[in-house]
């Protein structure tokens, strides 16, 4: 794991809720995640009639992403005070504030700023470390093979990709510069995204995201599968889809983490 030098304030320090209990993976559960990893559509594309991912609120004309497609999908009932419309408006205001960002070194080699995508009042939020080459090119999160796998994992939970809000710790990619270079500049933006979306659960994807949002420095295997809190929201770290593509043996651990999320959210596994 790459050590993180960034920490939140003491007021934001998360607390561990409980220790993990590693469940035995059933044959049905193993088959579900096997399908996500091995099915041709995990590499060639999503299955027919899959709803397209929802873009976060449209970019302002002053934004470098103003020409990107902008669609806000309807959201599940939100626990927010003003509902999804107010949440979408708040996310738009925040995106306008970020603007053509030059707050950290990552902006130098950026093609597109990758803000976030999904339902403004999503019950589930997923946070990864930072955009890859495909995301930098399109301005949208998770558009490569790992993104296709992530979509299948979400569907295995009984959700659509458009039901989930996807974002990153840092919003830009610059080749040769580690995402940690943008952590401090983006930390407040991420915190405000979480406050606006008000998800019931957050999944942290990968080592850097796990350590940053939990505020802990343990090795990733000690964080993965445990429940913590980030600004009052329950959060569980699991493997990034890239790691799952590289090491399919991790699929049982990932599936146990997703099942833990499903139990907390009251979701039933699709038949």
């Amino acid at each position: 794991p790459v050590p993180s030098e960034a920490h939140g304030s003491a007021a934001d320090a998360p607390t561990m809720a409980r220790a993990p209990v590693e469940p035995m993976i059933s044959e049905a559960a193993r088959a579900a995640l096997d399908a996500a990893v091995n099915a041709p559509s995990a590499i060639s594309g999503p299955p027919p009639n899959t709803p397209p991912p929802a873009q976060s609120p449209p970019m302002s004309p002053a934004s470098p992403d103003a020409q990107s497609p902008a669609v806000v999908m309807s959201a599940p009932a939100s626990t927010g005070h003003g509902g999804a419309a107010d949440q979408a408006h708040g996310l738009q205001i925040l995106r306008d504030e970020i603007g053509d960002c030059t707050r950290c070194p990552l902006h130098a080699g950026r093609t597109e700023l990758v803000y976030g995508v999904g339902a403004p009042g999503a019950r589930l939020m997923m946070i990864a470390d930072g955009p890859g080459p495909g995301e930098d090119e399109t301005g949208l999160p998770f558009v490569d093979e790992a993104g296709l796998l992530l979509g299948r994992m979400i569907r295995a939970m009984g959700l659509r990709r458009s039901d989930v809000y996807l974002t990153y710790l840092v919003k830009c990619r610059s080749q040769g510069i580690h995402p940690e270079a943008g952590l401090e500049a983006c930390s407040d933006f991420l915190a405000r995204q979480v406050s606006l979306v008000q998800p019931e659960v957050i999944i942290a994807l990968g080592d850097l995201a796990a350590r940053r949002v939990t505020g802990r420095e343990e090795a990733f295997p000690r964080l993965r599968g445990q429940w913590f809190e980030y600004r009052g929201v329950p959060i569980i770290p699991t493997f990034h889809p890239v790691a799952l593509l590289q090491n399919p043996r991790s699929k049982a651990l990932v599936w146990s983490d997703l099942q833990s999320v499903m139990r907390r959210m009251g979701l039933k596994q699709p038949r």
Side-chain angles (χ1 to χ4, degrees):
V2 180
S4 171
E5 300 174 356
H7 301 274
S9 66
D12 297 337
T15 56
M16 185 167 64
R18 62 175 176 81
V21 178
E22 293 291 351
M24 295 295 292
I25 186 166
S26 67
E27 289 302 317
R30 187 181 301 279
L33 206 59
D34 277 343
V37 175
N38 300 320
S41 58
I43 299 208
S44 61
N49 301 321
T50 299
Q55 174 68 12
S56 282
M59 307 304 164
S60 69
S63 163
D65 296 328
Q67 300 306 314
S68 299
V71 178
V72 178
M73 300 293 288
S74 59
S78 166
T79 57
H81 297 294
D86 285 352
Q87 289 166 300
H89 181 63
L91 288 166
Q92 174 65 66
I93 291 173
L94 177 58
R95 178 62 185 91
D96 291 344
E97 180 180 332
I98 294 173
D100 187 6
C101 187
T102 59
R103 295 173 179 83
C104 80
L106 293 175
H107 84 276
R110 174 188 74 215
T111 303
E112 296 286 352
L113 186 147
V114 187
Y115 177 56
V117 68
R123 296 179 63 199
L124 177 63
M125 189 172 192
M126 294 184 172
I127 302 171
D129 52 358
E135 291 77 21
D136 177 61
E137 183 68 26
T138 63
L140 297 171
F142 291 101
V143 297
D144 54 9
E145 290 183 19
L148 295 173
L149 173 56
L150 181 65
R152 292 184 61 81
M153 291 164 57
I154 291 169
R155 290 194 294 276
M157 298 173 68
L159 298 170
R160 301 170 302 170
R161 180 168 163 142
S162 59
D163 294 329
V164 180
Y165 194 89
L166 306 174
T167 191
Y168 296 104
L169 296 176
V170 299
K171 313 306 185 190
C172 301
R173 177 184 186 272
S174 191
Q175 188 170 1
I177 303 179
H178 196 276
E180 285 191 350
L183 287 177
E184 290 301 330
C186 280
S187 62
D188 181 61
F189 299 138
L190 177 64
R192 289 164 65 185
Q193 281 180 301
V194 172
S195 295
L196 286 163
V197 175
Q198 297 186 348
E200 294 177 22
V201 173
I202 298 173
I203 298 177
L205 299 170
D207 174 58
L208 182 58
R211 287 185 286 111
R212 180 65 178 180
V213 296
T214 64
R216 304 176 73 92
E217 288 298 325
E218 286 96 325
F220 180 71
R222 294 179 63 87
L223 300 177
R224 197 231 99 241
Q226 298 194 43
W227 284 99
F228 302 87
E229 284 190 358
Y230 176 75
R231 294 178 173 266
V233 181
I235 181 165
I236 185 170
T238 194
F239 290 98
H240 194 289
V242 167
L244 188 57
L245 289 172
Q246 295 170 345
N247 182 19
R249 287 186 175 185
S250 300
K251 59 179 177 260
L253 296 175
V254 173
W255 182 240
S256 73
D257 297 341
L258 298 183
Q259 286 180 310
S260 183
V261 172
M262 291 166 67
R263 286 192 294 272
R264 185 170 283 254
M265 296 180 64
L267 300 176
K268 294 183 179 180
Q269 182 179 338
R271 294 184 179 276

